[in-house]
């Protein structure tokens, strides 16, 4: 191969220099600042505000926000790297960072007008956590069956309804809330609104008690005659379905990143433990049966990571990535569950107790197959493409 060709071809797994530096700084932060808190956060089902402030200081809470608004002016791929590295240590913090960047900020960058960008992007870069509220009790996979209503009332819309399962509900100060201005119009009535914590008629309801990612808050939101100025409409009235579809298509690459990070964390723990633990007079990792299990996990993880990086690179290149995003999410979440399960097995009894880290990762892995479109919905997207 000539030198020229080597310059043109960019292997997926080779990171640019800025990406390598960024990943190293996030990994260092995750080890030093997040690792010591993981168990306590899981037990208390809470993320300390001091840690969130440190995430803002690190620059991972406003990755794609332009410098003019105080952000890091990074690419989507940087968000993927941040979510992956953080989730390697704690997938709960991974999803906080993921929702902030790939859903909340992404939606404002893509659909916000100049006024909205000027008002909120500097805050989102500097300390305001965002949340993204689409789901309701009756509308999950069938997201556009939502029933929260927005009534036109002069210079404002008046919102009524309930949202369920909203990540960052406890920490967020800015909520992107989807409601319909016209239930008869079906999905064409759906509109996205920006609602601030503390707005009259807007309260945070019950917080879910979950199997995994316990430190990440998942809350109900209650809208009771909540007046939202018309200047807080994100994108066009009646085009909220477009905002939701487009941001979620990108968001699920972030969940892929969360899952490959989780799998990497579980594999690292399993490798370290089996090299240390002795049975039959030697380290457990010296048994070929164990080596093959670890090797298979590493192979599956590499394959899943490449699908995530490919989807993210396609997105940054402005190329279509819908099917690739669905593929990366389903593969990564299944690999995460398998690798975390293997880690539990290889820790033996210690895999089953909270004193060791892998039972938590096993619990955390399950969510990857549920949120931002269940596995069946990803399969539906892939099937549509291959059968069209
Ligand atoms: C921890 C957590 C955090 C979340 N965070 C957010 C958030 O921040 N914002 C937000 O808006 N939502 C959030 N969600 C909601 C999440 O996106 C939904 O739970 C998810 O989309 C599934 O919807 P559902 O729970 O109503 O399940 P359902 O849609 O009722 O699905 C039940 C089962 O039916 C299957 N199914 C449904 N339709 C079909 C079909 N057509 N073909 C085949 N199978 C089908 C599903 O795959 C699933 O297995 C969160 C959920 C959880 C648990």
């Amino acid at each position: 191969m000539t030198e020229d060709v080597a310059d043109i071809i960019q292997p997926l797994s080779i990171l640019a220099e800025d990406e390598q530096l960024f990943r190293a700084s996030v990994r260092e932060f995750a080890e030093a600042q997040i690792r010591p808190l993981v168990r306590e956060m899981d037990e208390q089902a809470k993320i300390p505000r001091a840690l969130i402030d440190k995430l803002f200081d690190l620059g991972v809470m406003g990755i794609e926000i332009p410098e003019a608004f105080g952000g890091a002016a990074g690419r989507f791929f940087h968000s993927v790297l941040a979510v992956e590295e953080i989730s390697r240590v704690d997938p709960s913090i991974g999803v906080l960072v993921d929702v902030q960047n790939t859903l909340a900020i992404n939606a404002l960058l893509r659909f916000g007008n100049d006024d909205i960008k000027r008002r909120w992007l500097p805050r989102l870069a500097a300390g305001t956590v965002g949340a993204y509220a689409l789901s309701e009790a009756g509308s999950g996979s069938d997201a556009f069956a939502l029933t929260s209503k927005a009534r036109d009332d002069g210079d404002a819309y008046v919102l009524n309804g309930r949202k369920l399962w909203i990540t960052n509900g406890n920490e967020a100060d800015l909520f992107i809330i989807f409601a319909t201005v016209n239930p008869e119009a079906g999905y064409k009535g759906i509109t996205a609104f920006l609602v601030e914590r503390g707005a009259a008629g807007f309260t945070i309801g019950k917080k879910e008690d979950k199997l995994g990612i316990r430190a990440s808050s998942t809350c109900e939101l209650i809208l009771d005659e909540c007046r939202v100025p018309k200047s807080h409409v994100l994108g066009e009235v009646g085009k909220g379905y477009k905002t939701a579809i487009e941001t979620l298509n990108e968001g699920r690459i972030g969940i892929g990143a969360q899952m490959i990070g989780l799998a990497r964390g579980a594999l690292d723990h399993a490798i370290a433990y089996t090299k240390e633990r002795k049975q039959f007079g030697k380290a457990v990792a010296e048994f070929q049966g164990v080596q093959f299990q670890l090797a298979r996990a590493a192979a599956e993880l590499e394959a899943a990571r490449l699908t995530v990086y490919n989807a993210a690179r396609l997105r940054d290149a402005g190329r279509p990535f819908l099917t690739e995003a669905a593929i990366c999410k389903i593969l990564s979440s299944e690999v995460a569950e398998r690798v975390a399960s293997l880690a539990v097995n290889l820790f033996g009894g210690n895999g089953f107790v909270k004193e060791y880290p892998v039972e938590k990762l096993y619990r955390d892995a399950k969510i990857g197959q549920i949120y931002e479109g269940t596995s069946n919905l990803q399969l539906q997207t892939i099937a549509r493409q291959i059968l069209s």
Side-chain angles (χ1 to χ4, degrees):
M1 196 188 340
T2 66
E3 228 173 275
D4 289 354
V5 175
D7 282 347
I8 296 164
I9 295 174
Q10 296 284 347
L12 261 185
S13 57
I14 303 291
L15 302 187
E17 205 179 320
D18 69 299
E19 293 166 348
Q20 284 177 38
L21 290 172
F22 178 76
R23 180 174 68 174
S25 71
V26 178
R27 179 173 290 211
E28 196 184 319
F29 175 91
E31 288 296 343
Q33 306 292 336
I34 302 177
R35 176 88 67 206
L37 304 176
V38 172
R39 186 162 173 206
E40 188 185 328
M41 290 192 295
D42 186 56
E43 281 173 1
Q44 295 183 357
K46 199 170 172 7
I47 302 174
R49 181 66 215 193
L51 177 59
I52 297 175
D53 290 340
K54 286 179 188 167
L55 290 164
F56 276 99
D57 291 344
L58 181 67
V60 294
M61 295 297 273
I63 295 172
E64 284 190 83
I65 295 179
E67 269 171 17
F69 296 124
R75 297 182 295 280
F76 187 81
F77 194 77
H78 290 103
S79 299
V80 159
L81 289 177
V83 173
E84 179 188 359
E85 285 305 326
I86 291 172
S87 302
R88 181 179 155 271
V89 174
D90 192 343
S92 283
I93 309 300
V95 73
L96 169 91
V97 172
D98 175 63
V99 168
Q100 174 83 358
N101 287 289
T102 74
L103 294 182
I105 291 170
N106 192 9
L108 261 70
L109 281 171
R110 293 177 56 122
F111 298 96
N113 57 27
D114 288 348
D115 178 50
I116 282 178
K117 286 182 183 164
R118 258 197 312 273
R119 269 179 87 176
W120 277 294
L121 288 177
R123 286 170 53 189
L124 285 162
T128 295
V129 173
Y132 185 92
L134 179 63
S135 303
E136 297 179 0
S139 63
S141 300
D142 188 9
F144 297 155
L146 61 82
T147 59
S148 288
K149 287 182 189 60
R151 189 177 75 242
D152 193 333
D153 188 29
D155 59 353
Y157 281 96
V158 179
L159 269 55
N160 281 287
R162 279 169 186 252
K163 293 289 172 185
L164 204 61
W165 310 117
I166 307 310
T167 299
N168 296 350
N170 260 4
E171 297 79 16
D173 282 314
L174 182 64
F175 296 77
I176 299 173
I177 296 186
F178 293 86
T180 177
V181 293
N182 179 7
E184 275 85 62
Y187 72 91
K188 287 184 178 163
I190 295 171
T191 306
F193 298 89
L194 296 173
V195 181
E196 293 184 70
R197 178 181 292 271
F202 175 53
T203 45
I204 314 296
K206 93 173 151 99
K207 179 174 156 245
E208 303 297 337
D209 188 6
K210 307 195 297 293
L211 170 73
I213 55 162
R214 291 180 57 79
S216 161
S217 66
T218 311
C219 302
E220 184 183 22
L221 308 181
I222 302 160
L223 298 149
D224 180 12
E225 291 289 296
C226 175
R227 271 185 85 79
V228 179
K230 285 193 169 162
S231 60
H232 289 209
V233 171
L234 177 65
E236 287 175 54
V237 173
K239 294 272 175 68
Y241 70 92
K242 195 168 148 43
T243 306
I245 289 175
E246 293 193 12
T247 43
L248 284 171
N249 284 344
E250 297 180 347
R252 60 184 57 116
I253 306 173
I255 301 304
Q258 183 198 28
M259 290 293 121
I260 57 169
L262 187 161
R264 178 77 232 179
L267 185 60
D268 287 350
H269 286 306
I271 290 170
Y273 186 86
T274 53
K275 282 166 92 172
E276 195 71 30
R277 172 74 176 165
K278 290 198 168 54
Q279 287 292 282
F280 302 97
K282 54 182 175 179
V284 168
E286 288 178 44
F287 296 111
Q288 196 183 52
V290 171
Q291 290 175 359
F292 282 9
Q293 288 177 303
L294 291 169
R296 180 174 295 282
E300 287 192 1
L301 173 56
E302 175 74 359
R305 180 187 291 112
L306 293 177
T307 66
V308 174
Y309 285 10
N310 185 41
R313 296 271 197 224
L314 286 171
R315 188 275 191 190
D316 276 338
R319 308 287 277 266
F321 59 87
L322 176 65
T323 312
E324 289 79 3
I327 290 172
C328 93
K329 182 172 182 285
I330 191 162
L331 290 183
S332 304
S333 55
E334 289 179 356
V335 166
E337 188 183 3
R338 276 200 296 277
V339 177
S341 173
L342 173 68
V344 170
N345 292 350
L346 291 177
F347 268 66
N350 286 335
F352 207 63
V353 294
K354 292 193 185 295
E355 205 180 323
Y356 289 84
V358 290
E359 65 83 32
K360 174 186 180 292
L361 293 176
Y362 183 55
R363 287 187 282 110
D364 289 351
K366 200 67 215 172
I367 191 59
Q369 295 171 57
I370 299 171
Y371 59 13
E372 296 206 30
T374 64
S375 290
N376 276 357
L377 271 283
Q378 306 311 318
L379 292 173
Q380 197 181 70
T381 301
I382 299 163
R384 268 193 201 130
Q385 202 271 327
I386 60 171
L387 296 169
S388 66

